[in-house]
mmCIF file of all heavy atoms in Angstrom:
data_model
loop_
_atom_site.group_PDB
_atom_site.id
_atom_site.type_symbol
_atom_site.label_atom_id
_atom_site.label_comp_id
_atom_site.label_asym_id
_atom_site.label_seq_id
_atom_site.Cartn_x
_atom_site.Cartn_y
_atom_site.Cartn_z
ATOM 1 N N ARG U 105 -27.979 -6.978 1.516
ATOM 2 C CA ARG U 105 -27.412 -8.219 1.077
ATOM 3 C C ARG U 105 -27.212 -9.158 2.273
ATOM 4 O O ARG U 105 -26.821 -8.651 3.361
ATOM 5 C CB ARG U 105 -26.149 -8.081 0.336
ATOM 6 C CG ARG U 105 -26.356 -7.281 -0.941
ATOM 7 C CD ARG U 105 -25.004 -7.221 -1.677
ATOM 8 N NE ARG U 105 -25.047 -6.213 -2.692
ATOM 9 C CZ ARG U 105 -24.106 -5.334 -2.901
ATOM 10 N NH1 ARG U 105 -23.002 -5.279 -2.245
ATOM 11 N NH2 ARG U 105 -24.269 -4.406 -3.851
ATOM 12 N N ARG U 106 -27.289 -10.438 2.146
ATOM 13 C CA ARG U 106 -27.112 -11.375 3.234
ATOM 14 C C ARG U 106 -25.633 -11.622 3.473
ATOM 15 O O ARG U 106 -25.192 -11.931 4.521
ATOM 16 C CB ARG U 106 -27.858 -12.644 3.018
ATOM 17 C CG ARG U 106 -29.356 -12.486 3.168
ATOM 18 C CD ARG U 106 -29.996 -13.854 2.938
ATOM 19 N NE ARG U 106 -31.338 -13.677 3.471
ATOM 20 C CZ ARG U 106 -31.823 -14.419 4.467
ATOM 21 N NH1 ARG U 106 -31.089 -15.374 4.962
ATOM 22 N NH2 ARG U 106 -33.033 -14.264 4.880
ATOM 23 N N TRP U 107 -24.841 -11.713 2.412
ATOM 24 C CA TRP U 107 -23.501 -12.175 2.514
ATOM 25 C C TRP U 107 -22.576 -11.063 2.069
ATOM 26 O O TRP U 107 -22.773 -10.482 0.981
ATOM 27 C CB TRP U 107 -23.367 -13.437 1.615
ATOM 28 C CG TRP U 107 -22.053 -14.071 1.751
ATOM 29 C CD1 TRP U 107 -21.391 -14.729 2.828
ATOM 30 C CD2 TRP U 107 -21.053 -14.061 0.699
ATOM 31 N NE1 TRP U 107 -20.197 -15.141 2.519
ATOM 32 C CE2 TRP U 107 -19.907 -14.837 1.207
ATOM 33 C CE3 TRP U 107 -20.971 -13.608 -0.527
ATOM 34 C CZ2 TRP U 107 -18.835 -15.080 0.500
ATOM 35 C CZ3 TRP U 107 -19.854 -13.949 -1.311
ATOM 36 C CH2 TRP U 107 -18.796 -14.621 -0.790
ATOM 37 N N TRP U 108 -21.473 -10.721 2.782
ATOM 38 C CA TRP U 108 -20.643 -9.680 2.434
ATOM 39 C C TRP U 108 -19.253 -10.159 2.050
ATOM 40 O O TRP U 108 -18.276 -9.418 1.910
ATOM 41 C CB TRP U 108 -20.456 -8.713 3.556
ATOM 42 C CG TRP U 108 -21.724 -7.979 3.787
ATOM 43 C CD1 TRP U 108 -22.575 -7.383 2.844
ATOM 44 C CD2 TRP U 108 -22.309 -7.603 5.051
ATOM 45 N NE1 TRP U 108 -23.662 -6.764 3.483
ATOM 46 C CE2 TRP U 108 -23.449 -6.854 4.802
ATOM 47 C CE3 TRP U 108 -21.912 -7.796 6.341
ATOM 48 C CZ2 TRP U 108 -24.182 -6.419 5.872
ATOM 49 C CZ3 TRP U 108 -22.673 -7.313 7.333
ATOM 50 C CH2 TRP U 108 -23.858 -6.606 7.084
ATOM 51 N N GLY U 109 -19.087 -11.465 2.070
ATOM 52 C CA GLY U 109 -17.765 -11.981 1.695
ATOM 53 C C GLY U 109 -17.277 -13.045 2.723
ATOM 54 O O GLY U 109 -18.080 -13.387 3.612
ATOM 55 N N GLU U 110 -16.103 -13.470 2.540
ATOM 56 C CA GLU U 110 -15.585 -14.468 3.415
ATOM 57 C C GLU U 110 -15.346 -13.994 4.798
ATOM 58 O O GLU U 110 -14.974 -12.773 4.996
ATOM 59 C CB GLU U 110 -14.266 -14.993 2.835
ATOM 60 C CG GLU U 110 -14.390 -15.764 1.511
ATOM 61 C CD GLU U 110 -13.129 -16.178 0.939
ATOM 62 O OE1 GLU U 110 -12.086 -16.226 1.710
ATOM 63 O OE2 GLU U 110 -13.044 -16.455 -0.232
ATOM 64 N N GLN U 111 -15.534 -14.799 5.810
ATOM 65 C CA GLN U 111 -15.287 -14.427 7.169
ATOM 66 C C GLN U 111 -14.108 -15.362 7.709
ATOM 67 O O GLN U 111 -14.365 -16.583 7.929
ATOM 68 C CB GLN U 111 -16.509 -14.654 8.047
ATOM 69 C CG GLN U 111 -17.683 -13.794 7.579
ATOM 70 C CD GLN U 111 -17.412 -12.390 7.783
ATOM 71 O OE1 GLN U 111 -16.765 -11.873 8.723
ATOM 72 N NE2 GLN U 111 -17.850 -11.528 6.886
ATOM 73 N N PRO U 112 -13.018 -14.902 7.716
ATOM 74 C CA PRO U 112 -11.876 -15.755 8.114
ATOM 75 C C PRO U 112 -11.937 -16.207 9.582
ATOM 76 O O PRO U 112 -12.249 -15.461 10.472
ATOM 77 C CB PRO U 112 -10.592 -14.844 7.864
ATOM 78 C CG PRO U 112 -11.151 -13.449 7.995
ATOM 79 C CD PRO U 112 -12.563 -13.515 7.475
ATOM 80 N N THR U 113 -11.645 -17.449 9.765
ATOM 81 C CA THR U 113 -11.499 -17.969 11.087
ATOM 82 C C THR U 113 -10.360 -19.015 11.134
ATOM 83 O O THR U 113 -9.931 -19.485 10.087
ATOM 84 C CB THR U 113 -12.774 -18.751 11.547
ATOM 85 O OG1 THR U 113 -13.014 -19.798 10.598
ATOM 86 C CG2 THR U 113 -14.005 -17.819 11.543
ATOM 87 N N ASP U 114 -9.977 -19.273 12.309
ATOM 88 C CA ASP U 114 -8.881 -20.310 12.359
ATOM 89 C C ASP U 114 -9.508 -21.755 12.345
ATOM 90 O O ASP U 114 -10.596 -22.004 12.373
ATOM 91 C CB ASP U 114 -7.982 -20.067 13.586
ATOM 92 C CG ASP U 114 -8.741 -20.366 14.987
ATOM 93 O OD1 ASP U 114 -9.903 -20.712 14.927
ATOM 94 O OD2 ASP U 114 -8.093 -20.137 15.966
ATOM 95 N N PRO U 115 -8.657 -22.783 12.307
ATOM 96 C CA PRO U 115 -9.076 -24.116 12.169
ATOM 97 C C PRO U 115 -10.028 -24.561 13.292
ATOM 98 O O PRO U 115 -10.800 -25.481 13.126
ATOM 99 C CB PRO U 115 -7.882 -24.961 12.020
ATOM 100 C CG PRO U 115 -6.714 -24.085 11.700
ATOM 101 C CD PRO U 115 -7.164 -22.693 12.190
ATOM 102 N N LEU U 116 -9.913 -23.925 14.436
ATOM 103 C CA LEU U 116 -10.705 -24.392 15.604
ATOM 104 C C LEU U 116 -12.048 -23.618 15.591
ATOM 105 O O LEU U 116 -12.693 -23.651 16.561
ATOM 106 C CB LEU U 116 -9.959 -24.132 16.859
ATOM 107 C CG LEU U 116 -8.615 -24.949 17.002
ATOM 108 C CD1 LEU U 116 -7.911 -24.601 18.269
ATOM 109 C CD2 LEU U 116 -8.867 -26.460 16.909
ATOM 110 N N ASP U 117 -12.325 -22.836 14.582
ATOM 111 C CA ASP U 117 -13.614 -22.073 14.524
ATOM 112 C C ASP U 117 -13.799 -21.142 15.694
ATOM 113 O O ASP U 117 -14.836 -20.936 16.266
ATOM 114 C CB ASP U 117 -14.822 -23.013 14.404
ATOM 115 C CG ASP U 117 -14.865 -23.656 13.078
ATOM 116 O OD1 ASP U 117 -14.498 -23.057 12.023
ATOM 117 O OD2 ASP U 117 -15.430 -24.751 12.948
ATOM 118 N N ARG U 118 -12.690 -20.519 16.123
ATOM 119 C CA ARG U 118 -12.850 -19.374 17.104
ATOM 120 C C ARG U 118 -11.944 -18.259 16.660
ATOM 121 O O ARG U 118 -11.035 -18.422 15.821
ATOM 122 C CB ARG U 118 -12.377 -19.945 18.466
ATOM 123 C CG ARG U 118 -10.983 -20.360 18.554
ATOM 124 C CD ARG U 118 -10.640 -20.929 19.947
ATOM 125 N NE ARG U 118 -9.431 -21.750 19.857
ATOM 126 C CZ ARG U 118 -8.229 -21.217 19.997
ATOM 127 N NH1 ARG U 118 -8.017 -19.947 20.104
ATOM 128 N NH2 ARG U 118 -7.157 -21.970 19.901
ATOM 129 N N LEU U 119 -12.406 -17.146 17.042
ATOM 130 C CA LEU U 119 -11.735 -15.893 16.573
ATOM 131 C C LEU U 119 -10.431 -15.712 17.433
ATOM 132 O O LEU U 119 -10.436 -16.116 18.552
ATOM 133 C CB LEU U 119 -12.624 -14.678 16.759
ATOM 134 C CG LEU U 119 -13.866 -14.627 15.867
ATOM 135 C CD1 LEU U 119 -14.762 -13.490 16.275
ATOM 136 C CD2 LEU U 119 -13.429 -14.648 14.392
ATOM 137 N N PRO U 120 -9.424 -15.173 16.827
ATOM 138 C CA PRO U 120 -8.175 -14.866 17.575
ATOM 139 C C PRO U 120 -8.453 -13.844 18.685
ATOM 140 O O PRO U 120 -9.369 -13.059 18.549
ATOM 141 C CB PRO U 120 -7.201 -14.446 16.529
ATOM 142 C CG PRO U 120 -8.097 -13.949 15.388
ATOM 143 C CD PRO U 120 -9.353 -14.712 15.413
ATOM 144 N N ASP U 121 -7.677 -13.907 19.689
ATOM 145 C CA ASP U 121 -7.759 -12.906 20.750
ATOM 146 C C ASP U 121 -7.363 -11.492 20.158
ATOM 147 O O ASP U 121 -6.453 -11.402 19.315
ATOM 148 C CB ASP U 121 -6.777 -13.195 21.897
ATOM 149 C CG ASP U 121 -7.136 -14.430 22.655
ATOM 150 O OD1 ASP U 121 -8.330 -14.777 22.607
ATOM 151 O OD2 ASP U 121 -6.212 -15.060 23.218
ATOM 152 N N PRO U 122 -8.169 -10.528 20.588
ATOM 153 C CA PRO U 122 -7.858 -9.233 20.078
ATOM 154 C C PRO U 122 -6.518 -8.704 20.592
ATOM 155 O O PRO U 122 -6.156 -9.099 21.624
ATOM 156 C CB PRO U 122 -9.025 -8.332 20.571
ATOM 157 C CG PRO U 122 -9.586 -9.092 21.754
ATOM 158 C CD PRO U 122 -9.275 -10.556 21.509
ATOM 159 N N PRO U 123 -5.856 -7.851 19.847
ATOM 160 C CA PRO U 123 -4.600 -7.352 20.378
ATOM 161 C C PRO U 123 -4.771 -6.580 21.677
ATOM 162 O O PRO U 123 -5.920 -5.943 21.880
ATOM 163 C CB PRO U 123 -4.093 -6.429 19.279
ATOM 164 C CG PRO U 123 -5.280 -6.093 18.492
ATOM 165 C CD PRO U 123 -6.227 -7.225 18.611
#
Side-chain angles (χ1 to χ4, degrees):
R105 296 184 194 135
R106 290 182 163 240
W107 185 69
W108 293 319
E110 296 178 16
Q111 299 296 323
T113 58
D114 67 359
L116 300 176
D117 287 330
R118 60 184 163 84
L119 295 174
D121 292 333

